[in-house]
Amino acid sequence: MPHFALSIALNPGSTPLNQVLTELLLLMAVILPVGIHFVLAFAAAGIPFITAGCALPATKRTKAFRNKYGQQASKLAFILGVYVFFVLLGGFLLLQQKYPESVNFWQKTPIPLIVFGSAFILAEIFFLLYRGVWKRMKNFKRLHAMIGFLSVLLFWAGLYVCLAGFRHFILYASEPTLDPMLFFIPPKQSMIWYLLPLTLSLTLTTGSAMSGFYLVLRRNRDDYGRDFYAFAYKLVARWGWATNLVTLLCLAAIAYVQRIYVPALPAAFPILVSTGVFAAMLLLSVLLWFVLVFSNAPLRQRFVLLLQPLFSMIGLTGLLTACYLLFLR
């Protein structure tokens, strides 16, 4: 990570405000590609929850529309999942080459890595089953939805191990084998218990954003008619505004808990600014989702679906920048 992040942290008082903001913007530009891939990974994990949830309350009038949306969105989740797998593999090989000391930490903790790998492998297996038996289980929607929910729960279990392992890495980088159970059960006062619901809600906000974006992209190739798209756009919008509101509540809880600690840090100002970028993108997303939810002509509001992934990528980049300044600088 570039050296200017350290100048922000170490010389906040002596650095002019415009220079701090310029360096912060540069840092966010460096982190942006990571933020984009986080959005794609979170969307792959969250979309099956949305498609499974959409199948449960289906009436005869909307059953066909919900089914078509689920098939399209789950196809996107599969594509994103394959892409993210190869990105993670390439990233691990790059880390092994560039930062071998960091990789050594994880190689000395085999039990958490087994759990981490097993959770994601099982999640992928159940997701492939969920997609593979879609037509065969059209008369068993509840059971089919349970398979989709199970794949998401396994994805979330893997994310939990990632967060817990990240905490262990920050605190015990030189002692990876110190109390391995801390990987699985961090202390009750740990920030992990606040970051976890935020992370899980982000999988659903990004899943809504990316699946809506995909509907617009595929409109000309998979034209299911105006009625379907009017229904699907509003369906995605309802999931979008609800999950964004949950994410905002999680962020507010973290801000309340950290209201004393963060302002006392040397890098408090850039942390607050980058977190503010995240919050602003969430608020913009909520407002635009509301426009679509209450629109009488949803097909004319496609710009909402086209903008949502951009808001997610910029917002998540702000959150990752704050985490970098808070934990890794």
Side-chain angles (χ1 to χ4, degrees), residues 56-322:
L56 292 179
T59 62
K60 288 185 178 180
R61 186 176 63 85
T62 63
K63 184 177 180 180
F65 288 164
R66 290 174 183 271
N67 188 57
K68 288 176 183 177
Y69 165 74
Q71 287 183 306
Q72 279 200 310
S74 62
K75 180 180 178 181
L76 172 63
F78 173 75
I79 294 170
L80 293 178
V82 172
Y83 173 75
V84 169
F85 170 78
F86 285 107
V87 169
L88 286 174
L89 182 62
F92 179 79
L93 294 176
L94 182 64
L95 280 174
Q96 198 167 32
Q97 181 180 3
K98 298 290 186 180
Y99 305 101
E101 66 282 355
S102 297
V103 176
N104 287 338
F105 172 86
W106 300 103
Q107 290 176 339
K108 291 177 182 178
T109 54
I111 294 177
L113 281 181
I114 291 172
V115 175
F116 167 79
S118 300
F120 283 110
I121 290 171
L122 286 173
E124 191 62 32
I125 290 172
F126 277 100
F127 174 71
L128 292 175
L129 176 64
Y130 174 66
R131 266 191 56 81
V133 300
W134 197 289
K135 292 182 179 180
R136 295 181 184 180
M137 298 190 70
K138 62 181 180 180
N139 296 322
F140 304 94
K141 282 298 181 183
R142 291 185 182 276
L143 180 58
H144 185 233
M146 291 303 108
I147 298 174
F149 285 133
L150 181 57
S151 72
V152 177
L153 289 175
L154 288 166
F155 272 121
W156 285 355
L159 288 175
Y160 168 76
V161 175
C162 286
L163 284 172
F166 176 74
R167 173 190 176 276
H168 202 71
F169 175 70
I170 295 299
L171 296 178
Y172 309 111
S174 61
E175 301 177 276
T177 57
L178 179 64
D179 195 358
M181 285 307 295
L182 286 175
F183 268 90
F184 305 105
I185 311 176
K188 63 180 180 180
Q189 70 271 21
S190 173
M191 272 297 295
I192 293 300
W193 303 118
Y194 295 92
L195 289 173
L196 180 63
L198 177 69
T199 302
L200 300 186
S201 65
L202 279 171
T203 64
L204 301 180
T205 62
T206 54
S208 303
M210 291 304 300
S211 64
F213 182 73
Y214 188 70
L215 285 175
V216 176
L217 288 185
R218 298 290 301 182
R219 173 78 192 272
N220 292 331
R221 291 193 177 185
D222 305 320
D223 192 350
Y224 293 126
R226 293 176 60 86
D227 290 343
F228 165 72
Y229 288 100
F231 172 84
Y233 289 0
K234 286 205 169 190
L235 177 69
V236 170
R238 286 193 292 270
W239 277 91
W241 76 259
T243 55
N244 270 275
L245 284 177
V246 172
T247 306
L248 276 170
L249 290 175
C250 294
L251 182 63
I254 293 174
Y256 178 78
V257 171
Q258 297 294 309
R259 67 191 184 282
I260 297 175
Y261 172 69
V262 170
L265 294 175
F269 178 72
I271 289 173
L272 293 174
V273 170
S274 51
T275 305
V277 170
F278 175 54
M281 293 300 104
L282 287 175
L283 285 170
L284 278 173
S285 294
V286 169
L287 292 174
L288 284 180
W289 282 132
F290 267 116
V291 169
L292 185 51
V293 167
F294 294 105
S295 173
N296 293 322
L299 296 181
R300 297 180 181 177
Q301 313 299 333
R302 286 182 296 175
F303 73 94
V304 173
L305 299 175
L306 294 173
L307 287 175
Q308 291 297 342
L310 178 64
F311 291 159
S312 295
M313 291 170 185
I314 295 174
L316 204 49
T317 298
L319 178 63
L320 291 173
T321 302

